[in-house]
Amino acid sequence: MRAFSFTIYGTMVLVSTYFPLFYAKLGFTNGQIGVLYALGPMISLIANLLWSIASDKFRTIKKIMCILLIGQIIMSYILSISTTFSVIMLMITIFYFFFYPVFPLSDTIAINAAKQHGKSFITVRIFGSIGYAFFALAIGYVLSVIGASKTMWVTMAIAGIALLITMFIQDQSSPVAKMDMSGIWSILRQKELLWFFGCVFCLAIAVRMNDAFLTITLKDLGAGENVIGWAQLASSCSEIPIFLILSIYGERFKELPLLIIASLVFATRFLLVSLTDSAYAIIAIQTMHSFSFGIFYVTSIRMLTRMIPDQFRATGMALFTIAWSSASGLLSGTFGGIVFEQFGRQRYYLIAMTFALIACVGFATRYFHRDQAIRARKSARSSKKA
């Protein structure tokens, strides 16, 4: 499972980092690249649910995983021989249908395997971060030699390795947690949770704007594929120690102050990207990923666990995924490409910074409001005792 987790994050590096360069190599505009990026989050809404139902019905994760990886290999080959925007738009849509469900399924089988062998899930998941770091650098150097036009061949190679490793994984019959539709109303009645999702959505728009056009920004600043690989390496390596530290000591700190800090670091990070004209400076800025995404991800999952009852946990996590990844990615990809093309990099990242600051203000407002409410309750209790 560690080897599998290590390998599949190589395909994530390709999709998030090097696919935009592949599109640019074909001569697509920034607006077209934004549309292609937005297709992924939109398809993930449907694909994750459908493949989860299939896994539940047939009581297998391993066989579903094999189908998904084979689908990725076939679609990667078709994409490698496609050149027109309309054809690639159709093919990448089908590719995403096979791509996105791999990660929740792999997490599920990893959690089950870790429990079975008395291990912590983090000992498996952290190999995904290590794999992301490795492939970010390795793929950058490979593509700098063979060219960005061969991106899909690298995708086929990594998916093929993952498929081979899958053969040695013990199947798990535990189904993927499905969205409990009856629990949505119960969750949406919680004001604190609605406030949380709203702040997450604002922050996610900023983060997805950065994800969609970071590689294009580096390319515009004269960076080669190997330099882009170093930028991704810096971000993925920086999150590993934060994940470990917060998993051990995170409970000592309140959640909302940590989320305020993470949002501020995100805003600062995007401001610095808008100001710099150096690709190497962006590599240094990427190390702030640890104190932005690292703190946010661990803390937000912890906060969700506290706010959502066990019987509605799957529903809450699904809503969190929609806010953090799917809906925000769809919006930022669709309109982000137009903004980047019309207003340029500086204003684009200033807009991203603004969304991060809105999230920061939202978290801070909730924190001070709740703090005042707690003090008021304590004061009322003291008065009753008196």
Side-chain angles (χ1 to χ4, degrees):
M1 278 311 307
R2 288 169 177 163
F4 182 75
S5 182
F6 179 92
T7 306
I8 62 168
Y9 275 86
T11 58
M12 179 172 283
V13 172
L14 282 160
V15 171
S16 63
T17 304
Y18 294 103
F19 272 28
L21 296 181
F22 173 74
Y23 302 146
K25 192 74 174 179
L26 294 175
F28 296 163
T29 66
N30 290 330
Q32 289 174 321
I33 293 173
V35 170
L36 293 173
Y37 176 84
L39 286 172
M42 179 178 67
I43 295 302
S44 70
L45 289 169
I46 304 170
N48 286 335
L49 181 60
L50 289 178
W51 287 111
S52 295
I53 293 173
S55 174
D56 185 23
K57 180 178 179 180
F58 296 106
R59 308 292 292 175
T60 178
I61 296 178
K62 178 178 177 177
K63 292 177 183 177
I64 296 295
M65 197 83 72
C66 290
I67 294 172
L68 294 174
L69 291 169
I70 292 171
Q72 287 183 34
I73 294 171
I74 294 172
M75 297 316 303
S76 297
Y77 174 73
I78 297 175
L79 283 166
S80 70
I81 58 176
S82 304
T83 55
T84 60
F85 177 76
S86 57
V87 173
I88 286 186
M89 186 174 178
L90 175 61
M91 293 301 106
I92 200 66
T93 299
I94 303 173
F95 175 88
Y96 285 144
F97 184 76
F98 292 107
F99 172 74
Y100 277 99
V102 167
F103 298 96
L105 285 170
S106 66
D107 284 347
T108 300
I109 198 171
I111 289 170
N112 293 336
K115 287 181 178 179
Q116 182 180 345
H117 294 281
K119 303 289 185 180
S120 170
F121 168 66
I122 194 68
T123 62
V124 178
R125 173 59 181 83
I126 202 168
F127 274 80
S129 297
I130 296 172
Y132 191 98
F134 170 79
F135 283 108
L137 189 60
I139 293 171
Y141 276 103
V142 169
L143 291 181
S144 67
V145 174
I146 66 176
S149 59
K150 297 294 191 295
T151 299
M152 295 304 162
W153 290 96
V154 179
T155 306
M156 283 187 280
I158 296 176
I161 295 171
L163 179 61
L164 180 63
I165 296 173
T166 306
M167 302 301 175
F168 299 94
I169 294 176
Q170 182 179 352
D171 199 7
Q172 303 285 335
S173 61
S174 299
V176 176
K178 296 185 293 184
M179 180 182 287
D180 182 3
M181 301 302 292
S182 65
I184 292 180
W185 176 243
S186 176
I187 289 175
L188 294 181
R189 289 170 59 186
Q190 300 182 45
K191 292 182 179 180
E192 183 180 10
L193 194 58
L194 283 176
W195 194 283
F196 172 75
F197 280 138
C199 294
V200 166
F201 182 69
C202 288
L203 184 60
I205 290 175
V207 175
R208 300 307 163 195
M209 286 177 69
N210 176 66
D211 290 347
F213 284 95
L214 179 64
T215 54
I216 300 298
T217 295
L218 288 166
K219 199 69 176 178
D220 289 345
L221 294 176
E225 281 79 3
N226 55 339
V227 176
I228 293 172
W230 279 104
Q232 296 299 327
L233 175 72
S235 63
S236 56
C237 283
S238 67
E239 74 183 22
I240 296 173
I242 294 297
F243 280 168
L244 291 174
I245 291 171
L246 287 179
S247 65
I248 298 172
Y249 302 107
E251 295 291 338
R252 299 182 181 181
F253 305 97
K254 292 183 178 180
E255 296 146 356
L256 285 173
L258 287 175
L259 293 174
I260 293 169
I261 292 171
S263 302
L264 275 176
V265 177
F266 268 123
T268 304
R269 179 177 163 188
F270 300 145
L271 174 63
L272 292 175
V273 174
S274 74
L275 295 175
T276 186
D277 288 319
S278 169
Y280 293 98
I282 291 180
I283 295 178
I285 294 169
Q286 283 291 91
T287 60
M288 297 174 69
H289 183 80
S290 60
F291 294 100
S292 51
F293 176 77
I295 292 175
F296 168 80
Y297 183 76
V298 176
T299 307
S300 59
I301 296 300
R302 174 183 143 200
M303 190 169 182
L304 274 175
T305 303
R306 177 183 61 79
M307 290 189 295
I308 299 176
D310 291 343
Q311 65 269 30
F312 301 132
R313 185 69 47 76
T315 306
M317 290 302 298
L319 292 173
F320 175 77
T321 301
I322 291 171
W324 176 249
S325 180
S326 301
S328 59
L330 178 61
L331 184 63
S332 60
T334 304
F335 297 103
I338 299 173
V339 173
F340 193 94
E341 193 168 4
Q342 296 295 323
F343 298 102
R345 172 176 58 89
Q346 285 80 11
R347 291 184 181 179
Y348 179 84
Y349 274 97
L350 287 175
I351 293 173
M353 179 199 71
T354 302
F355 276 108
L357 287 176
I358 292 172
C360 179
V361 171
F363 286 129
T365 303
R366 185 64 191 175
Y367 173 69
F368 291 117
H369 174 75
R370 193 170 69 176
D371 198 45
Q372 288 176 357
I374 292 172
R375 285 200 299 266
R377 284 196 296 268
K378 288 182 178 179
S379 177
R381 289 172 186 170
S382 299
S383 298
K384 287 182 179 179
K385 289 180 180 180

